[in-house]
Amino acid sequence: MTDKELIQKILMNDETSFKTLVEKYQTMVLNTCFSFLQDRADAEDITQEVFIEVFLSLHKFKKNAKLSTWIYRIAVNKSLNYLRDTRKTRIIKRIDMFFSKNKEEKLQIPDNSDTEKEVNEVYEYRLKQLYQAIDSLKRKQKIAFTLNKVQKLSYEQVAEIMGLSISAVEGLIHRAKINVQKEILKNLKKNQKD
Amino acid sequence: MSGCNISNKKLIALLNDELPTHKKKILENHIQNCSACQILYSELKQTYYIIEENRVLTPNPFLYTRIKQKLNEELKTQYQKNLKPALWQGIKPVLFLALLIFILWGNIELVNLYTNSNSTIISNNSTEFFLNDLEQEVIEKYLLKD
Ligand SMILES: [Zn+2]
């Protein structure tokens, strides 16, 4: 069944067609949300909200547009809004974690180690550093960079979702990449001094 | 680290392979011999390149059931939200009509009351008025004759 047929049937209150739509796009939506949120539970919650919004505003969807692009936009907006709305609690969480752990243990770059647990800790630490750096990007840079580098979408796809030219997207991604690396270095140096 | 002045810009350019060959060689040479730069560069590289990993999540098999459940709740609250203004919209013309009828009826009653009381006043005064008129006329006529 094509997307057009699916939409028509959903608009006629056909429940199985909505189920088909969810099954078709659930992996895409979940992974898009996860690429921004980096938390499985949060990504699952937002995925549910994305499909509810899709269902409720399907009548507004322009027939000549691409359904996947439209769903991507909803997923990106919902994820970024969630990040914005929970920024305060996430910062408090980080501060809590900082004080609950030994300061030295938290701030020093973990040494490369043989045991699996320590390897995982090093990996987790680096992962956190990376996503904190991405989190510090401006909105447009964050969207373009995350969709291209984390979600592995092509420049063309990112341009379509963001409604920008390919060269504009290239520029955003290049600046974002430099800014992420700068932020990682800044935090590394800060942590080395502590 | 204190005696080392390699900038972040240079390290980033090296990471992204954006340096001319001779500058690249000098920097690589320095990093090999400077432990502080070595740790920093290696850590930057390993942190940034986590992004190259392809982590794909598989959706929860109960995702659709949860969406359906939430959607039903959402539709229910939306229905209740829309029901109140709809009820009000339905009641409004009826209330307006009732008010109009009440005002109209009130006016009719008022007019009736006024005309009834006025007519009795007029009938009571009318004879007196004519009598007075008659008396005055009579006096004047007498005066004229004198
Ligand atoms: Zn150095």
Side-chain angles (χ1 to χ4, degrees):
Chain A
M1 210 188 294
T2 64
D3 282 345
K4 266 188 187 168
E5 288 167 333
L6 265 181
I7 294 165
Q8 271 178 343
K9 286 196 170 178
I10 296 167
L11 288 175
M12 288 188 293
N13 276 329
D14 180 38
E15 207 192 304
T16 26
S17 295
F18 181 56
K19 194 178 177 199
T20 312
L21 181 134
V22 171
E23 280 163 358
K24 187 174 175 182
Y25 289 107
Q26 58 183 357
T27 308
M28 175 191 108
V29 172
L30 177 69
N31 281 284
T32 305
C33 295
F34 183 74
S35 66
F36 285 95
L37 306 170
Q38 289 303 306
D39 181 286
R40 184 170 178 127
D42 289 346
E44 280 181 351
D45 281 350
I46 303 303
T47 299
Q48 291 171 25
E49 280 185 28
V50 169
F51 282 111
I52 289 168
E53 165 106 30
V54 166
F55 183 87
L56 293 178
S57 47
L58 201 61
H59 61 281
K60 290 184 209 159
F61 174 72
K62 286 176 191 126
K63 278 174 187 129
N64 47 1
K66 212 170 155 188
L67 184 64
S68 61
T69 306
W70 184 62
I71 297 177
Y72 263 126
R73 277 186 198 149
I74 297 175
V76 170
N77 282 332
K78 288 234 176 257
S79 302
L80 289 182
N81 289 349
Y82 180 80
L83 280 180
R84 181 201 60 204
D85 296 342
T86 55
R87 187 163 297 266
K88 267 185 196 163
T89 42
R90 282 184 299 125
I91 288 169
I92 290 165
K93 224 186 201 174
R94 230 178 271 159
I95 293 168
D96 276 352
M97 271 168 62
F98 172 80
F99 282 113
S100 65
K101 280 198 172 186
N102 184 331
K103 192 181 174 187
E104 244 160 80
E105 184 191 305
K106 182 68 195 156
L107 288 179
Q108 267 182 3
I109 300 157
D111 293 326
N112 288 342
S113 186
D114 289 338
T115 67
E116 202 181 318
K117 195 185 163 225
E118 279 168 340
V119 168
N120 278 343
E121 265 177 30
V122 173
Y123 177 79
E124 286 296 320
Y125 177 85
R126 285 176 183 150
L127 196 66
K128 224 172 261 173
Q129 292 296 314
L130 174 65
Y131 281 96
Q132 265 183 39
I134 295 173
D135 205 27
S136 73
L137 292 173
K138 283 180 186 164
R139 189 181 166 95
K140 275 188 184 173
Q141 283 185 26
K142 196 190 285 181
I143 297 172
F145 185 81
T146 305
L147 289 178
N148 174 251
K149 296 285 177 193
V150 188
Q151 185 65 8
K152 318 288 184 212
L153 298 186
S154 67
Y155 284 170
E156 287 86 352
Q157 282 174 299
V158 179
E160 206 175 86
I161 293 164
M162 295 183 75
L164 296 171
S165 67
I166 293 175
S167 60
V169 166
E170 279 175 343
L172 280 173
I173 293 170
H174 182 73
R175 267 175 282 146
K177 180 176 150 185
I178 303 292
N179 286 336
V180 166
Q181 293 168 350
K182 266 188 200 166
E183 188 71 15
I184 294 170
L185 270 179
K186 193 181 94 188
N187 289 331
L188 281 172
K189 282 186 176 173
K190 200 172 84 189
N191 291 352
Q192 270 184 345
K193 274 180 200 161
D194 285 327
Chain B
M1 198 62 214
S2 52
C4 183
N5 59 357
I6 301 293
S7 67
N8 288 357
K9 222 177 179 177
K10 271 188 185 167
L11 288 176
I12 287 169
L14 181 69
L15 184 75
N16 298 324
D17 202 14
E18 287 167 349
L19 283 177
T21 329
H22 68 285
K23 280 189 180 174
K24 188 179 163 184
K25 269 188 183 165
I26 294 170
L27 193 58
E28 279 176 341
N29 211 16
H30 170 83
I31 287 173
Q32 264 183 352
N33 298 309
C34 169
S35 65
C37 281
Q38 212 172 65
I39 292 172
L40 206 62
Y41 185 68
S42 147
E43 205 46 45
L44 168 69
K45 206 171 169 177
Q46 292 187 75
T47 304
Y48 182 73
Y49 280 108
I50 288 178
I51 212 148
E52 296 293 322
E53 286 174 9
N54 211 356
R55 294 186 298 157
V56 180
L57 298 185
T58 319
N60 188 308
F62 301 110
L63 182 70
Y64 178 72
T65 323
R66 282 177 194 159
I67 290 168
K68 194 77 196 112
Q69 200 181 340
K70 267 194 183 175
L71 190 60
N72 285 342
E73 282 164 23
E74 177 71 30
L75 289 172
K76 216 172 164 183
T77 49
Q78 272 200 6
Y79 175 74
Q80 279 166 347
K81 255 189 217 168
N82 292 336
L83 195 66
K84 276 180 198 167
L87 265 173
W88 176 235
Q89 287 296 330
I91 287 168
K92 239 162 57 177
V94 177
L95 276 177
F96 181 72
L97 209 69
L99 195 72
L100 208 72
I101 290 168
F102 178 75
I103 291 168
L104 225 66
W105 173 79
N107 276 348
I108 290 166
E109 280 298 297
L110 218 66
V111 167
N112 278 346
L113 205 73
Y114 181 76
T115 46
N116 282 345
S117 57
N118 250 11
S119 59
T120 50
I121 290 165
I122 287 168
S123 60
N124 284 345
N125 289 347
S126 57
T127 40
E128 252 177 83
F129 174 76
F130 284 121
L131 276 171
N132 286 345
D133 222 28
L134 205 73
E135 276 169 21
Q136 269 183 342
E137 217 177 48
V138 171
I139 294 164
E140 275 173 5
K141 273 176 187 172
Y142 279 123
L143 283 170
L144 273 171
K145 275 176 184 173
D146 281 334

